[in-house]
Amino acid sequence: ISGSPNGPDGNPIPSDGVSFPANALAIMPRTGVPQPGAVYFTDGKETRAVYVSAIGTAEVMKYEGGSWH
C-alpha cells in the first residue's frame, strides 16, 4: 500500500494489506473481535481501509492529507 506508513491504529501496514492475525477476522458473538485489524485497498492514487475495532464495529477510512479520516 502506498502513501501511508501506518494504518489507522498506528501500526505498520502489512505488505499483503491485511492486518488480522493469520489474515482471518474472528468475531465472537458476545465478546467482539479478539484482535482488531484492517484490510487495506488502493488504486495507486487513494488508500482506504476497512478497520474493525475490538467491539466489532467496522469503519471505512480514507488516507488523505497525511492522516486517516
Side-chain angles (χ1 to χ4, degrees):
I1 304 293
S2 61
S4 173
N6 294 312
D9 59 0
N11 293 319
I13 296 174
S15 60
D16 67 357
V18 180
S19 69
F20 295 104
N23 287 349
L25 169 60
I27 300 176
M28 309 312 227
R30 295 192 174 131
T31 58
V33 178
Q35 291 189 310
V39 178
Y40 299 91
F41 303 91
T42 186
D43 63 2
K45 298 176 188 172
E46 294 183 349
T47 300
R48 297 185 186 260
V50 177
Y51 177 75
V52 181
S53 72
I55 61 169
T57 58
E59 182 177 2
V60 177
M61 303 181 84
K62 180 179 180 181
Y63 187 76
E64 186 174 46
S67 62
W68 290 96
H69 305 278

